[in-house]
Amino acid sequence: MPEKREKFYLTTPIYYTNGLPHIGHTYTTVVADVIRRYKRMRGYDVVMTTGTDEHGVNVERAAKKAGIPESEFVAKMAEAWRALWDELGIPADEFIRTTDLKHVRTVQWLFKLCRENGYVYKGHYTGQYCIYDNAFVNDAKPGDNCPDCGRPLETVTEENYFFKLSSFQKSLLDFYKKNPDFIQPDTRRNEIISFVEGGLKDLSITRTTIRWGIPVPGEEPHVFYVWFDALTAYLSAVGGPEYEKRGYWPADLHLVGKDIIRFHTVYWPAFLMAAMLPVPKQVWAHGWFLMDAAKMSKSKGNVVLPRPIVNMLGMDALRYFLLRDVVFGQDGNFSYDALVTRYNSDLANGLGNLASRTAALIEKNFAGKIPKPGTLKPQDEVLAKEAQAAIGEVLENFDKLSFARALETIWTVIAVADKYLTSEQPWALGNSEAEQSRKATVLWTTAELLRIVSVLSFPVLPDSAAKVWSLLGQSDALGKFELDGLRWGHLVPGTPLGKSQTLFPRVDKTEAIERIEAMANEELNPPKAAPAPAVSAPATTGASAAAAAAPAVSDKIGIEDFAKVEMRVGQIKTAERIVGADKLLKLTVDIGTEIRQICAGIAQYYEPESLIGRKVAVVVNLAPRKLRGVESNGMIVAASVGPEGRPVLTGFHEEVEVGARLK
Ligand code: MSP
């Protein structure tokens, strides 16, 4: 236990406000929350920061599209982000917005320090600029596409203030050498070291082509380059110029995705060194969650949203999956199938089942009170040893941010306990004194193991671990338990069990996936005329929060809005069922100019064969999306009839040409 509550400050990136969170963003914030809970249980005084990155040309454009001022646009979006983190139970201790006055002042102050120390000069810059990533792309030629996002670059010439990044090559390399843990994992560290060894060019840190940014005092129309602005948010969140008063700076840990490691490990420490401010202790770059091996983006239709998963399986299930399935630092593929499989095997059949079995046996045999163990047999001692050893191993892995390993260890112990119960068969023992005593020993041992498991799994499964904890009759707040004092053997006999609660009800995989996908579709394509979310973002989600963030619109739409929907007469060529999806049919449809694959939720009402040759109305300019892993490129129009919403396909009573437009 650190003396006098040592401080620990960690951050997530601050997220762009031209979109809303998908599973990738949720991942970073969940990891931060797990570390926060873990560090608190190790006795630290922890502050975790997240927030929103609200300046730049993308926001300028999105606000214009929404027809509202930028300030109003970002206020709504920031609120939507904050609200979702609250809803998911992962709110920040400090939520910083880059439009907050305290942040604006901190950025201006940092610039002043860098300038006073001789690291800022005025110059001109012409370069290829990616407006989506807010970055000039070194070495790109006019007409090139952005190497990161693939979109076209724009040629931009500006009068800028430059930061003398080139002066920091040696200091940075020395710093990396002296602080070998600064960049994690090691592969990223090597990557950055060779980048810096290759030479650093000065960096333009102000813009005159953008209006929506923090003004450079006395130098209007210069505004700060978004990364100079955004990185500083970490410092503004904990006091800015008065950071010493609060005592959380330098940050102990910046969690970032691998895409933004250079900003955090080269530019950020250089800015701070130039201002003679302390440099953060560690930057940890994790990998990406991919969908079908590609980065998620709304335009690709492969975005995974957190809310539908949480509604179906609970937040703990999502947290568990994110941390268990992928080694922290590496890329991982997201699949609903893997998610639900893990849920059923590890949570419902694993932890949930062990807890309910144990509690039911104690209830039945010991009137709901933790029994007093009798003489131990070797197998009881083996189990105790395994659990005790797991404590050290799990803590060590949490310290290294090896979450998957930590969880693996906990679940190995759960499996051992399951086997132990099965072979000891306490339910088969009779009522003689010896048998009662044996029963008590076995059930105390299993309950004690569950107590250890609930403490160790709390950072990842805060709700469920707390349920197990109170089921075992423990009344103190589990989040305040001091991990350093966790030892085998502390479960007090005689403690009455708490109320039994269902932890993880088993789900039918196919049905669960269908429901998650249906909820996600609804969130991404909200019904009702209008709120096309006020968002034109890369890698974003719509979400009902986006609808909330959208400006108020009238219920009536103009003809120009209707004209946006391109509907054509299509003819169904083939139709087949999709294995594992009761409601969907996979169709190929001739729309005049091409044959499209379209999934339609009509399988319960139409036999596939009856559809061949039928002419239907098709929305042809809908972004493609995946339904149960099958690409759907368009939508068949149907009436929704009766309370159950039975689909009735549109038809034509006169001869119509395939491909004719509906107007
Ligand atoms: N605003 C900048 C960060 C400024 S920090 C001073 C930014 N924002 S972002 O919203 O585009 O993304 C922020 C972070 O979200 C990424 O670095 C990464 O941590 C996380 N992720 C976004 N998509 C992701 C996946 N598909 N998978 C995992 N994490 C991803 O960059």
Side-chain angles (χ1 to χ4, degrees), residues 14-16 22 24-25 28 53 227 230 234 257 259-260 286 288-289:
I14 52 166
Y15 302 102
Y16 288 131
H22 58 57
H25 309 114
T28 317
D53 189 352
W227 278 97
Y234 299 137
D259 46 333
I260 54 176
H286 63 71
W288 280 343
F289 260 100

Side-chain angles (χ1 to χ4, degrees), residues 67-209:
I68 52 173
E70 288 93 351
S71 54
E72 202 180 306
F73 179 84
V74 292
K76 285 178 173 163
M77 293 304 281
E79 216 25 64
W81 277 86
R82 198 198 298 255
L84 184 71
W85 297 142
D86 283 353
E87 186 186 323
L88 299 181
I90 44 181
D93 304 304
E94 293 290 343
F95 188 96
I96 185 82
R97 299 180 50 194
T98 55
T99 49
D100 286 341
L101 193 59
K102 66 176 180 185
H103 171 71
V104 170
R105 292 210 174 114
T106 307
V107 172
Q108 294 173 337
W109 168 74
L110 183 69
F111 177 75
K112 191 166 145 274
L113 293 180
C114 293
R115 198 177 189 180
E116 282 169 2
N117 293 342
Y119 292 109
V120 170
Y121 63 94
K122 208 177 220 177
H124 278 93
Y125 184 81
T126 299
Q128 300 305 311
Y129 189 76
C130 176
I131 56 159
Y132 299 97
D133 297 338
N134 289 308
F136 278 105
V137 178
N138 290 334
D139 310 323
K141 298 181 301 305
D144 281 357
N145 288 334
C146 173
D148 283 332
C149 71
R151 284 176 271 213
L153 295 168
E154 291 182 11
T155 304
V156 174
T157 299
E158 288 189 324
E159 182 194 63
N160 286 170
Y161 278 98
F162 279 76
F163 175 78
K164 281 191 193 166
L165 187 62
S166 54
S167 308
F168 288 89
Q169 184 185 28
K170 185 163 177 332
S171 327
L172 284 169
L173 289 171
D174 287 349
F175 177 74
Y176 302 149
K177 204 167 189 183
K178 270 205 210 111
N179 301 279
D181 290 337
F182 175 62
I183 306 170
Q184 286 294 317
D186 287 343
T187 45
R188 301 278 166 222
R189 178 171 181 268
N190 299 336
E191 195 182 295
I192 293 296
I193 290 177
S194 38
F195 170 74
V196 176
E197 279 172 347
L200 294 173
K201 287 190 186 148
D202 289 349
L203 183 74
S204 84
I205 53 166
T206 71
R207 298 279 181 270
T208 50
T209 41

Side-chain angles (χ1 to χ4, degrees), residues 370-615:
I370 303 285
K372 188 170 179 337
T375 322
L376 298 182
K377 289 194 175 174
Q379 59 268 40
D380 311 325
E381 278 165 356
V382 166
L383 196 108
K385 263 205 194 114
E386 290 216 21
Q388 183 62 46
I391 298 173
E393 238 173 84
V394 170
L395 300 195
E396 201 183 311
N397 281 313
F398 270 133
D399 281 334
K400 291 194 289 196
L401 309 192
S402 300
F403 305 110
R405 290 294 292 276
L407 293 171
E408 198 183 317
T409 306
I410 302 174
W411 261 257
T412 306
V413 169
I414 293 176
V416 169
D418 245 340
K419 255 207 189 134
Y420 169 81
L421 263 192
T422 309
S423 70
E424 293 305 312
Q425 304 205 346
W427 50 86
L429 293 169
N431 290 329
S432 72
E433 205 175 306
E435 282 175 299
Q436 267 298 91
S437 161
R438 182 66 202 140
K439 227 188 274 178
T441 307
V442 171
L443 290 176
W444 179 87
T445 303
T446 319
E448 171 59 349
L449 181 133
L450 272 168
R451 187 186 69 93
I452 304 267
V453 161
S454 65
V455 176
L456 292 177
S457 59
F458 176 80
V460 179
L461 304 176
D463 291 343
S464 328
K467 280 186 186 166
V468 178
W469 183 247
S470 66
L471 179 66
L472 296 171
Q474 309 301 303
S475 51
D476 306 342
L478 180 52
K480 295 220 167 98
F481 189 94
E482 285 171 11
L483 275 170
D484 293 0
L486 184 61
R487 303 267 182 292
W488 178 266
H490 289 189
L491 182 63
V492 182
T495 311
L497 292 187
K499 238 181 46 218
S500 81
Q501 327 187 32
T502 315
L503 281 172
F504 306 103
R506 267 193 71 85
V507 296
D508 173 82
K509 196 201 279 179
T510 309
E511 206 180 301
I513 296 176
E514 267 176 26
R515 283 175 63 182
I516 294 171
E517 287 190 336
M519 285 187 270
N521 273 339
E522 203 156 298
E523 213 174 298
L524 286 167
N525 310 296
K528 220 171 111 131
V535 177
S536 64
T540 60
T541 69
S544 41
V553 281
S554 122
D555 280 349
K556 302 253 190 294
I557 60 166
I559 187 74
E560 66 288 353
D561 290 319
F562 177 69
K564 284 184 199 152
V565 182
E566 187 182 340
M567 271 191 280
R568 295 193 178 271
V569 175
Q571 186 167 37
I572 299 174
K573 293 290 175 196
T574 64
E576 58 184 278
R577 294 191 184 279
I578 298 175
V579 182
D582 303 350
K583 299 195 180 104
L584 285 183
L585 287 186
K586 183 166 90 178
L587 311 172
T588 49
V589 183
D590 182 356
I591 58 163
T593 46
E594 62 185 296
I595 307 269
R596 289 277 186 89
Q597 175 171 295
I598 299 178
C599 296
I602 54 175
Q604 288 165 319
Y605 303 94
Y606 288 91
E607 283 306 319
E609 310 75 59
S610 71
L611 294 170
I612 315 287
R614 183 160 174 166
K615 286 182 178 163

